[in-house]
Amino acid sequence: MASSDFWKEVGTTNADVEHLYGFLLERGAPATSRELTAHLIEWRVREEEKKLAELAARRAPLYQPKQTYQVGEHLIFTALDNREGVVERVRAGDNPRLGDWQVIAVRFADEPKPREFAMGYAAAHPLNEDLTKSAESLELTPEQAIEQQGDAVRVALVKRLSGDREFARVGDDWFLKGLLPEIHAGYLNLAEAAIEQAGDSVRTADLFKILDLPPTAKKPTAMFALNLALENDERFEDVGPVSEARWFLTRLELPEARERPAVLEAAPAGKIALSGELDLIAKELYDEADLNGDANMPAAAPRDEITLILTYPHRQAGTLPLTPLVRALLPAFAEPRLKFNFQDAVTQDKFAGYAVAQGHYLAGVSQWFAARKLSPGAYVTLRRSADPLTLIIDYQPQREHSLWVRVARGVNGHLNFSQEKRPLSHKYDEEMLIVIGDPAGIEAVAQAARQQRSLTLLLEEIFPELAKLSGAGHVHAKTLYSAINLIRRAGPRAVMGALTESRAFTSVGGGYFVLNEAHAR
């Protein structure tokens, strides 16, 4: 068997599954997919070595279609699990298009009738390859095979075991269903009461102590059974980091953590090439909308803190973006949600937060935003803490006083901007700050904007309103991005891409644009 064919098969056969069944039966405790893969590869390599040794000890040649054989000659058929047969007859082939070839009839000891095989067939065929040496067993040690082939075999094995009724899976742990102790409804009701009383997620190990399960199985097996029972009960959800199941009640989770707020929904932006200046601005805005829902976003290097600029959609939803840089502040998690605690940097008060993988956002800061009277454009800082499941949240307060700021309203189905004096008690990005003067009117404009107008048309409508607040008629790309997001969720790359592609606008440097005369009103 050729090396590539050998490794494509490992982890997919009934024999592999039966062997791992026996392995777990003897082990008596769950194993990870990597442990199962390593054990399987080692076993398969050793088995291949045994087969080679057996073939080397037998005098009969290996059957290959390109060779010729005589009546009475013994052959070994590698494609039939190395069975040995005897050539009984030879006849001419009956397909002239294949050239000059023959057919041999071979008798096997345990079969009543002989089988027929091609002989003298020199065309390309897997069995015509050199079979006297098997690279996968003679040139690789089990350790080398695990290193080189382990990942591919593990993918195939997980797929195969996932479709087998005998095996149960929790996270990356696997065990045999028939060996699991029963976790009846009474235990699950007690778990529900314990979690509700704690008011927070609870580790499986802590629930195990509370439930006082009968000692009829090993602790790892009983813990696996408990995790499996909780996973299959819709009342519970694992909201813990990788390798540490922590269970919470779905009915106690925040609605915005269970279902992505509509105001965060953004249309795919595609790949947009920006100038170096605009590309840098887009990167500094840390907007999850630019990820286009990519669940495989690249990991970011760990940082101790990051400062975000609050946008209107996140202010409305009570959320913050979960970009790679933000995600790097939290433990890795593989479940749909990670439950953690926000901690106010000043008061030290803690409140529940959720990192939501589907949609890339942090939920749980609605009341915190409201208490600090934050407007779109405010600075919000997130910091790592000594506790991996606590994220410190802060803003930049300043003595409250009235300032001249942009104020947005919805008028006759369109956005209207004015410069007004408003009290502010926080620091902000000058280009991003927009105070909401008429929430209901803005929502009415947003409804029409989502259904009828393209991003480019919206920019052309909004630009003159913002330009009238500037003596030079210049509007910064960040200001347009902030304004567009009042009525249409769009990432900075999408907004800046529309700006540069439209003939209505001209860049004047520094991130500023002007409206071309042909489009001026």
Side-chain angles (χ1 to χ4, degrees):
M1 181 182 292
S3 177
S4 59
D5 293 336
F6 178 83
W7 290 113
K8 285 179 183 178
E9 182 187 77
V10 176
T12 66
T13 69
N14 290 336
D16 291 341
V17 174
E18 289 172 6
H19 180 77
L20 292 178
Y21 186 98
F23 169 69
L24 288 176
L25 189 64
E26 182 178 354
R27 176 186 171 105
T32 67
S33 64
R34 294 190 183 278
E35 291 172 325
L36 294 175
T37 299
H39 175 80
L40 179 62
I41 289 176
E42 183 173 357
W43 174 69
R44 286 294 297 265
V45 169
R46 297 303 186 201
E47 287 296 300
E48 190 71 8
E49 289 177 346
K50 290 179 184 178
K51 288 182 180 180
L52 283 176
E54 291 174 0
L55 288 174
R58 292 159 72 176
R59 295 182 179 180
L62 304 181
Y63 164 73
Q64 289 185 290
K66 66 182 178 180
Q67 304 295 344
T68 58
Y69 306 103
Q70 303 296 322
V71 173
E73 190 170 359
H74 288 247
L75 302 175
I76 295 173
F77 291 80
T78 56
L80 300 178
D81 199 23
N82 296 322
R83 294 172 66 191
E84 186 173 331
V86 182
V87 179
E88 284 194 343
R89 296 186 304 275
V90 178
R91 67 173 176 83
D94 56 6
N95 190 338
R97 287 181 300 176
L98 299 181
D100 186 17
W101 62 291
Q102 295 174 293
V103 176
I104 56 174
V106 179
R107 173 78 64 178
F108 294 95
D110 56 348
E111 295 185 4
K113 294 182 179 180
R115 297 195 196 188
E116 291 191 335
F117 301 89
M119 181 178 76
Y121 179 75
H125 191 283
L127 291 179
N128 277 334
E129 297 176 8
D130 183 12
L131 299 178
T132 60
K133 185 176 182 182
S134 180
E136 60 265 23
S137 53
L138 289 184
E139 296 182 355
L140 289 179
T141 65
E143 293 73 22
Q144 290 171 328
I146 291 168
E147 181 179 354
Q148 294 181 21
Q149 303 292 338
D151 288 342
V153 171
R154 188 169 72 91
V155 170
L157 181 60
V158 167
K159 183 178 180 181
R160 179 67 172 81
L161 295 183
S162 296
D164 195 295
R165 296 180 181 179
E166 299 289 343
F167 291 81
R169 176 184 185 179
V170 174
D172 192 42
D173 289 330
W174 296 82
F175 199 52
L176 305 176
K177 290 181 180 178
L179 297 185
L180 293 176
E182 181 187 5
I183 306 295
H184 56 68
Y187 286 129
L188 296 176
N189 292 338
L190 286 174
E192 181 181 18
I195 295 171
E196 186 162 20
Q197 185 176 14
D200 201 352
S201 60
V202 180
R203 297 183 309 150
T204 308
D206 295 327
L207 288 174
F208 186 82
K209 295 175 185 177
I210 295 169
L211 300 183
D212 192 25
L213 295 168
T216 55
K218 293 181 181 179
K219 184 177 178 181
T221 302
M223 293 264 286
F224 181 96
L226 179 56
N227 275 329
L228 184 63
L230 291 167
E231 186 179 86
N232 290 330
D233 190 312
E234 63 182 12
R235 290 174 292 176
F236 306 94
E237 182 180 19
D238 180 3
V239 292
V242 170
S243 301
E244 186 188 47
R246 300 180 72 99
W247 298 96
F248 198 53
L249 302 179
T250 54
R251 60 182 171 84
L252 298 183
E253 292 175 350
L254 294 174
E256 60 266 33
R258 295 290 301 171
E259 184 174 350
R260 187 182 187 185
V263 72
L264 297 184
E265 294 290 345
K271 292 184 178 180
I272 299 171
L274 299 176
S275 67
E277 183 176 62
L278 293 180
D279 186 67
L280 183 61
I281 293 172
K283 288 178 180 177
E284 290 176 345
L285 289 171
Y286 306 126
D287 192 326
E288 88 288 349
D290 275 348
L291 299 172
N292 281 332
D294 183 7
N296 299 312
M297 57 183 180
R303 292 173 59 168
D304 289 332
E305 72 172 54
I306 182 172
T307 295
L308 308 169
I309 303 173
L310 185 60
T311 61
Y312 178 77
H314 282 294
R315 177 64 179 84
Q316 286 294 95
T319 57
L320 287 168
L322 181 61
T323 61
L325 286 171
V326 175
R327 192 161 186 164
L329 296 173
L330 292 165
F333 65 102
E335 302 298 333
R337 278 163 282 278
L338 172 73
K339 188 175 186 296
F340 64 96
N341 285 317
F342 283 109
Q343 183 175 30
D344 186 278
V346 177
T347 66
Q348 303 301 306
D349 291 338
K350 290 186 176 182
F351 52 97
Y354 296 84
V356 184
Q358 187 67 34
H360 307 297
Y361 63 95
L362 303 178
V365 280
S366 182
Q367 293 183 13
W368 189 84
F369 287 159
R372 281 139 194 84
K373 302 177 182 177
L374 300 186
S375 292
Y379 291 120
V380 177
T381 300
L382 299 174
R383 296 191 194 97
R384 190 190 308 276
S385 74
D387 176 8
L389 287 175
T390 297
L391 196 58
I392 297 171
I393 187 168
D394 200 3
Y395 75 116
Q396 298 180 22
Q398 64 180 12
R399 185 173 61 84
E400 184 173 299
H401 59 285
S402 293
L403 298 169
W404 287 99
V405 296
R406 298 181 202 88
V407 177
R409 292 182 174 83
V411 179
N412 297 325
H414 298 277
L415 273 184
N416 177 272
F417 293 93
S418 59
Q419 202 84 8
E420 302 177 19
K421 264 199 167 186
R422 290 297 180 95
L424 285 178
S425 58
H426 60 80
K427 294 182 180 179
Y428 51 87
D429 182 288
E430 290 276 358
E431 308 295 352
M432 293 277 289
L433 180 70
I434 298 177
V435 174
I436 308 305
D438 175 22
I442 288 176
E443 179 55 30
V445 178
Q447 291 290 343
R450 294 187 194 110
Q451 298 170 8
Q452 300 172 9
R453 282 166 278 179
S454 69
L455 191 57
T456 302
L457 284 176
L458 290 174
L459 284 168
E460 291 178 12
E461 289 182 12
I462 290 172
F463 198 102
E465 278 292 311
L466 292 168
K468 72 184 183 184
L469 305 182
S470 164
H474 296 175
V475 182
H476 199 277
K478 289 200 296 185
T479 307
L480 289 161
Y481 157 68
S482 184
I484 280 289
N485 273 271
L486 298 178
I487 56 175
R488 167 83 64 81
R489 183 75 179 106
R493 301 192 71 83
V495 173
M496 294 176 197
L499 274 172
T500 55
E501 291 173 2
S502 173
R503 295 180 180 179
F505 311 107
T506 299
S507 171
V508 293
Y512 287 92
F513 286 79
V514 295
L515 188 65
N516 293 332
E517 290 186 9
H519 292 81
R521 299 178 184 179

